[in-house]
Amino acid sequence: MLKIRKVQLQKKLKIECGDRIALTPTMGWNSWNCFGHEVSADKVKRAADALIKSGLINHGWNYINIDDSWQYNRDGKDPSFHGKMRDENGYILTNSKFPDMKGLADYMHNNGLKMGIYSSPGPWTCGGCAGSYGYEKQDAESYAKWGVDYLKYDWCSYGGVIDGLPDNDPNKVPSLAFQGGGDPDKGVKPFQLMGSLLKQQPRDIVYNLCQYGMGDVWKWGDEVNAQSWRTTNDITDTWSSVKNIALAQDKAAPFAKPGNRNDPDMLVVGVVGWGNPHQSRLKPDEQYLHMSLWSIFSAPLLIGCDLEKLDDFTLNLLTNDEVIAVNQDALGKQGVCLQTIGELRIYVKELEDGSKAVAFANFGREKVTMSYKDFKKLEISGVQTVRDLWRQKDIAEINTDKKGLSLDIPAHGVAYYKFISLK
Ligand code: GAL
């Protein structure tokens, strides 16, 4: 019989001061997966309002990040564009959809939120807007002046700089600096430059590198003052995308620690579409698996959907405090796969209180039904309470040295548990 266990309803709040920032993974929203290039200050404000109204803010979601397309585009189509991307001193101009960046950041701060922005170390962003190349100092200063709290810095056209292509060649195909024998130092340099400039600003600006994992970014991201870095290519709302990204995370795991996160890209639940809104094509079980793995990976959690169109299912996925608590755990480790049985992969993350989060992730097309006994492989032993994190319920108390745990996991689904040792 399952004994009733006292669940702690109070938590100690730990405040750590010092040079290292973003000690727990960033949580918030980003405009890209939802609005793509159709982003505007009005849509961003409405996202902030919806984040508050839906109650997401009470579960730790607090960054509102503007992705590509707040700058002028080289296509020159913006009605307010008069041939200049920057003012006479090199300070970047915002396009007509973002008339007042400082006002927008103030709006976020007055509502208890933070604001993020996006640029590229190259002359152009991936969408053809003005990047920071040659104007890094002015850009870092602008971000600080506006009150920006987060920068996503995206490789995009920087390969062209390395290849010596003319800055404004619209047909250039940026090279991937680290591939084909490229010089890794050349690819580190632009991130180093912006990292040191951000550090010189009179406010904390969380720094996210977006260069898709080139040159094993997890090995040097900390040295360039970054707090997180993309490990893989862009995510889309398909099972194969989520699966391939998930399977590529373990190699970077040893480098995760408080203030340093591997970023498998943003969440693809809810209404997404990069400007063409539609319900995520991930099935419900796939969404549980996606959210559970991003939780156990200690990944930055950035919602990518239209927050004004949140349905109950998506809201529930995003507001499970026990699933979020594993992601935000202060020990700061990244869960890794310790055992593979067919297409079942078992991820384990050590938590600060000595317990372990375990995600039994079924990547296969058949459901998995079994009595699981290999606890030694998960470094779990003795009598344990097994808590189902999604259901927020203790489901078993077992002596893991002697008894098995029955698993019944749907295709592309997950069982996300916490093992609490009963000593
Ligand atoms: C990609 C990046 C996306 C998004 C996009 C904007 O390189 O991975 O997350 O930022 O650029 O153009």
Side-chain angles (χ1 to χ4, degrees), residues 298-314:
S298 310
L301 295 177
L302 288 169
I303 301 171
C305 71
D306 186 340
L307 293 179
E308 289 190 307
K309 297 194 181 122
L310 268 181
D311 55 282
D312 287 349
F313 177 79
T314 311

Side-chain angles (χ1 to χ4, degrees), residues 59-333:
H59 298 267
W61 304 94
N62 64 349
Y63 280 80
I64 294 285
N65 292 353
I66 307 160
D67 210 275
D68 207 352
S69 276
W70 58 268
Q71 322 86 325
Y72 279 121
N73 196 294
R74 65 181 169 206
D75 67 12
K77 285 189 189 149
D78 191 299
S80 72
F81 184 62
H82 296 298
K84 283 200 172 124
M85 307 262 174
R86 296 178 175 272
D87 72 10
E88 57 283 5
N89 297 315
Y91 287 92
I92 192 150
L93 303 171
T94 53
N95 66 32
S96 61
K97 295 183 296 168
F98 289 88
D100 178 11
M101 258 327 173
K102 164 109 179 51
L104 192 57
D106 287 347
Y107 183 82
M108 300 305 164
H109 297 150
N110 291 337
N111 283 289
L113 299 170
K114 297 190 173 112
M115 191 172 93
I117 213 163
Y118 166 97
S119 188
S120 167
W124 306 109
T125 67
C126 296
C129 296
S132 296
Y133 183 62
Y135 299 96
E136 294 84 356
K137 184 167 180 290
Q138 286 96 327
D139 281 1
E141 285 173 10
S142 292
Y143 305 151
K145 201 174 73 199
W146 293 336
V148 166
D149 305 289
Y150 182 106
L151 172 68
K152 170 175 171 183
Y153 208 42
D154 192 354
W155 182 256
C156 303
S157 61
Y158 193 81
V161 174
I162 293 180
D163 295 346
L165 290 169
D167 289 354
N168 53 2
D169 179 353
N171 299 315
K172 73 186 163 205
V173 182
S175 73
L176 299 178
F178 300 100
Q179 290 170 5
D183 175 354
D185 287 345
K186 288 190 180 162
V188 175
K189 204 173 109 188
F191 292 106
Q192 178 123 47
L193 174 61
M194 184 52 92
S196 68
L197 287 164
L198 291 178
K199 255 212 141 156
Q200 288 163 32
Q201 304 310 312
R203 65 181 296 111
D204 288 342
I205 301 178
V206 175
Y207 186 31
N208 171 260
L209 313 184
C210 178
Q211 44 83 289
Y212 338 112
M214 292 185 288
D216 292 351
V217 59
W218 43 90
K219 294 185 181 156
W220 51 266
D222 189 32
E223 281 163 42
V224 303
N225 294 319
Q227 284 72 49
S228 58
W229 37 81
R230 279 270 297 280
T231 47
T232 29
N233 282 326
D234 286 25
I235 198 165
T236 58
D237 57 324
T238 61
W239 167 245
S240 66
S241 170
V242 169
K243 176 180 174 177
N244 291 336
I245 287 177
L247 295 182
Q249 297 309 311
D250 278 4
K251 56 183 183 294
F255 297 87
K257 57 175 183 289
N260 283 169
R261 305 288 160 196
N262 295 305
D263 175 5
D265 207 359
M266 300 170 287
L267 298 169
V268 278
V269 300
V271 174
V272 291
W274 299 265
N276 295 304
H278 58 262
Q279 197 67 44
S280 171
R281 286 171 288 173
L282 295 181
K283 300 202 174 86
D285 280 322
E286 295 170 345
Q287 297 191 34
Y288 276 116
L289 179 138
H290 175 31
M291 189 65 198
S292 305
L293 290 185
W294 268 234
S295 154
I296 208 162
F297 290 158
S298 310
L301 295 177
L302 288 169
I303 301 171
C305 71
D306 186 340
L307 293 179
E308 289 190 307
K309 297 194 181 122
L310 268 181
D311 55 282
D312 287 349
F313 177 79
T314 311
L315 189 61
N316 278 320
L317 268 180
L318 298 172
T319 53
N320 185 313
D321 289 333
E322 298 197 17
V323 170
I324 293 172
V326 173
N327 173 269
Q328 297 286 304
D329 186 75
L331 193 59
K333 298 236 171 165

